[in-house]
Amino acid sequence: MFGRKDKLSPRFIRPYRILKHVGLAAYQLELSPELDQIHDVFHVSMLRCYRSDPVHVILIEEIEVRLDLTFEEEPVQILERDVKVLRRKSIPLVKLLWHNHSSEEAT
């Protein structure tokens, strides 16, 4: 994850080719030139096995990464509105569709 860590940021950005196994639990990846400021060796806990699905791919060009390696997500559309009623208050809820995400990833 790059920059600020919050629950709506994408967890993984794209599949990268493994160049070599480093130590007992790390891999060196072939990163794109846009990510040349990031160290290319990652612990296995930060990696996931990729199962091919074109919906999962978020292109780096579509995400405007700033110099401090942060980016901003933009909501596109409100899909649903609801009100959660608790004992003493009610909380308005909305379900948002985000830019660069599919409808299954709406939050």
Side-chain angles (χ1 to χ4, degrees), residues 1-2 4-12 58 63 71-75 94-101 105-107:
M1 296 173 68
F2 305 110
R4 187 177 57 161
K5 296 180 181 178
D6 59 5
K7 67 179 185 177
L8 299 179
S9 63
R11 296 184 63 204
F12 305 102
I58 299 174
I63 301 174
F71 67 95
E72 188 171 324
E73 280 288 341
E74 299 175 5
V94 292
K95 184 175 184 179
L96 294 174
L97 179 64
W98 295 91
H99 183 67
N100 295 328
H101 293 280
E105 297 176 310
T107 57

Side-chain angles (χ1 to χ4, degrees), residues 16-69:
Y16 289 101
R17 195 166 63 95
I18 296 174
L19 295 178
K20 67 179 179 178
H21 188 86
V22 180
L24 296 175
Y27 289 95
Q28 182 179 8
L29 303 180
E30 181 182 23
L31 298 178
S32 58
E34 296 90 17
L35 300 175
D36 63 347
Q37 299 173 341
I38 298 172
H39 189 61
D40 61 351
V41 176
F42 294 89
H43 189 268
V44 293
S45 66
M46 298 176 71
L47 304 174
R48 294 289 181 263
C49 182
Y50 178 68
R51 288 170 178 73
S52 181
D53 187 356
V55 178
H56 294 159
V57 177
I58 299 174
L59 299 175
I60 295 293
E61 296 81 29
E62 294 178 7
I63 301 174
E64 296 179 21
V65 180
R66 300 181 190 119
L67 291 176
D68 61 353
L69 300 178

